[in-house]
Amino acid sequence: MELFQYKNNELYCEDVKVADLAKEFGTPLWVYSANKILHEYRAIQDAFEEVDPVVCYSVKSNSNLSILRLLNGAGCSFDVVSGGELYRVQHAGADTTRVVFAGVGKTDAEIRQALGQNILMFNVESEAELDAISRIAASMNRVAPVALRLNPDIDAKTHAKTTTGKKGNKFGMDIERHNALADKVLADPNLELRGIHMHLGSPINTTDPYEAAAKKALEVVTELRAKGHQTNWVNLGGGFGLNYRGTEAPPATEYAKVILPYIKEAECRLALEPGRSVCGNAGALISEVIFTKREGGKLFVIQDAAMNDLVRPAMYDSFHRIWPVNPKLAPPTDYEAEIEGCEATDVVGPICESGDYLAKGRHLPPLQRGDLLCTFSAGAYGTVMSSNYNSRPRGAEVLVKGSDVQLIRKRESYADLIEHELFALK
Ligand code: LLP
């Protein structure tokens, strides 16, 4: 279900003209479709329905309070990786007893905060962390629920910077340590082993790594139970693919097909931590062309969104579809192909780095100052990774549902940029 669509050479988000939003709220502007977010969340929930999964939306992918509240209202739970994310989830009114907490560097304060919120479980990444959780739980007279994060040494065949389940990554622990720590939990009155956690990487456009992980989970749970553990949760993390280019990502039902048999055999509750696949294609970044220039045999379109807004192309060489908001040509089916009437264009921002681009050599129709551009699939890992680099205020965010438009984050001002700074005394 696509909710960013062109009708008569005009881009719409749901029932609203994107150009009208840019006029009202300015650019750069983040536009989200509420119905797309809900649709993608429900697609995952439905695909795994047989085992009544707990879908913990990964807050790191887009942590805007209104998006959290929208998902919370639909029955979604949350995966957090910091005290700040837990604070956001609390603020959005979520039931924190369904929250899972991952991350390799949880501080004492964060552990205390999470225990105070009665979270569902900590995804524990090391022995030192397990010891810290036990110590803090004891001091609070509590039993901390934990899942141990296994590094299953599975190649998710994704970008080197976002692969997490391979030996040598900083995440989780190998099977020997996992089993030794499970025994340690059994002997500790302040810890309760709820289950096993894995997260393989992101985005993963094939289902085989999930099948291997689910199979591994079944083996581990069977072994743990034989040793007397009550463990009954399997958390397979997030990482489901996203259609950045076309139809490269399998639908949730395909992932479910390979995962479900193992979960049913294990007779476990299933937790999932999808982020990108829920909100990625529900968001777009709208920008305005400032100048065009030809130099060194290339055509550059300089527009007002930059690497401080969307860092993914600079950081991972990621591909995002880009097309004008009011195009004279219908959008292509293949954005990587040469298109008649188009010219290879570098879409760049105003930041003083050659790495500041949203696309390189992209075939685009002729553009001029004032034209609006849409960078698609920007709902996940867009705003959350944005910065004020070059003292650029962050853009506004709007949430569209049908014909209803809500401003969900104000555009930052110059005053916001200096708000937390103090002049030294001398
Ligand atoms: N669970 C854990 C433990 C994770 O580390 C992640 C993502 C997720 C769940 C959610 O994965 P998702 O369903 O969103 O793929 N900044 C990168 C992505 C980093 C992902 C980090 N971990 C990007 O822009 O591609």
Side-chain angles (χ1 to χ4, degrees):
M1 186 175 78
E2 288 319 317
L3 286 167
F4 282 94
Q5 275 183 320
Y6 286 95
K7 292 175 214 163
N8 304 323
N9 294 348
E10 178 90 51
L11 179 63
Y12 283 75
C13 175
E14 303 209 10
D15 300 333
V16 177
K17 285 182 185 168
V18 170
D20 288 349
L21 295 174
K23 198 184 254 175
E24 184 173 352
F25 298 101
T27 54
L29 178 70
W30 301 90
V31 179
Y32 305 112
S33 154
N35 280 313
K36 177 71 171 170
I37 295 172
L38 293 172
H39 175 82
E40 294 303 331
Y41 158 65
R42 288 185 187 129
I44 298 170
Q45 192 74 42
D46 290 351
F48 290 89
E49 188 184 20
E50 260 183 274
V51 297
D52 189 21
V54 172
V55 177
C56 300
Y57 167 71
S58 199
V59 173
K60 67 172 80 66
S61 62
N62 190 320
S63 58
N64 184 289
L65 290 177
S66 293
I67 290 178
L68 301 183
R69 202 164 69 176
L70 179 75
L71 284 165
N72 185 52
C76 187
S77 188
F78 299 99
D79 149 46
V80 302
V81 289
S82 68
E85 285 190 355
L86 181 57
Y87 175 80
R88 281 182 175 275
V89 164
Q90 286 171 240
H91 215 72
D95 172 7
T96 51
T97 64
R98 286 170 20 108
V99 165
V100 296
F101 190 174
V104 293
K106 301 176 188 76
T107 64
D108 283 12
E110 287 175 323
I111 293 168
R112 217 170 286 120
Q113 179 190 357
L115 281 171
Q117 288 297 315
N118 291 314
I119 63 161
L120 179 59
M121 54 194 145
F122 292 91
N123 295 331
V124 177
E125 309 243 6
S126 64
E127 182 160 15
E129 180 191 335
L130 189 71
D131 292 345
I133 293 173
S134 168
R135 171 174 48 79
I136 295 163
S139 75
M140 293 171 74
N141 222 355
R142 295 283 305 279
V143 178
V146 298
L148 299 175
R149 179 167 178 177
L150 177 69
N151 181 329
D153 196 20
I154 292 172
D155 187 357
K157 299 198 172 60
T158 187
H159 195 281
K161 285 184 182 157
T162 56
T163 192
T164 53
K166 269 298 277 173
K167 192 172 173 182
N169 300 138
K170 70 176 174 180
F171 301 97
M173 54 193 90
D174 64 20
I175 188 69
E176 288 75 27
R177 195 179 310 276
H178 174 279
N179 293 344
L181 290 196
D183 290 344
K184 199 167 170 176
V185 173
L186 202 54
D188 188 330
N190 292 108
L191 297 174
E192 177 201 327
L193 189 65
R194 290 251 160 112
I196 180 169
H197 176 239
M198 284 182 246
H199 170 76
L200 306 174
S202 161
I204 305 172
N205 284 329
T206 52
T207 57
D208 310 2
Y210 287 96
E211 176 158 19
K215 191 165 174 225
K216 188 83 205 157
L218 169 64
E219 276 167 34
V220 173
V221 166
T222 309
E223 253 177 65
L224 289 176
R225 285 188 179 145
K227 286 200 220 163
H229 287 282
Q230 300 297 311
T231 189
N232 62 353
W233 281 89
V234 171
N235 180 346
L236 289 179
F240 294 167
L242 188 77
N243 290 326
Y244 281 106
R245 295 177 147 86
T247 54
E248 68 268 35
T253 46
E254 293 294 312
Y255 294 102
K257 207 183 285 173
V258 300
I259 292 172
L260 282 176
Y262 297 97
I263 303 303
K264 285 197 278 185
E265 194 176 335
E267 294 183 349
C268 275
R269 295 298 314 274
L270 174 68
L272 294 166
E273 301 170 346
R276 187 192 312 269
S277 55
V278 175
C279 59
N281 272 332
L285 174 59
I286 312 304
S287 58
E288 185 177 315
V289 174
I290 308 172
F291 301 119
T292 63
K293 83 183 227 184
R294 285 181 192 278
E295 207 51 64
K298 287 180 107 176
L299 172 61
F300 294 93
V301 165
I302 303 154
Q303 39 81 67
D304 63 4
M307 66 188 288
N308 75 296
D309 301 299
L310 182 66
V311 77
R312 300 191 72 257
M315 195 153 170
Y316 315 113
D317 271 324
S318 316
F319 181 93
H320 287 260
R321 283 171 289 123
I322 298 179
W323 202 247
V325 168
N326 297 107
K328 290 180 186 69
L329 290 174
T333 40
D334 179 358
Y335 280 78
E336 286 158 289
E338 285 193 18
I339 305 161
E340 213 185 304
C342 290
E343 185 176 346
T345 307
D346 281 12
V347 181
V348 303
I351 283 182
C352 304
E353 291 206 26
S354 298
D356 178 28
Y357 60 87
L358 297 183
K360 280 192 164 177
R362 192 65 63 81
H363 286 263
L364 287 172
L367 290 163
Q368 57 189 21
R369 185 179 174 85
D371 284 347
L372 294 172
L373 285 178
C374 179
T375 300
F376 293 93
S377 310
Y381 305 109
T383 50
V384 285
M385 295 177 77
S386 66
S387 75
N388 290 126
Y389 188 38
N390 278 207
S391 285
R392 290 170 46 85
R394 287 181 181 83
E397 294 174 61
V398 293
L399 185 63
V400 175
K401 192 169 189 200
S403 54
D404 184 38
V405 176
Q406 303 276 337
L407 179 66
I408 59 171
R409 192 172 198 271
K410 290 190 273 186
R411 179 173 302 285
E412 288 176 349
S413 65
Y414 289 156
D416 292 330
L417 292 178
I418 58 170
E419 193 194 353
H420 296 290
E421 285 171 50
L422 306 168
F423 280 112
L425 284 180
K426 278 193 179 166

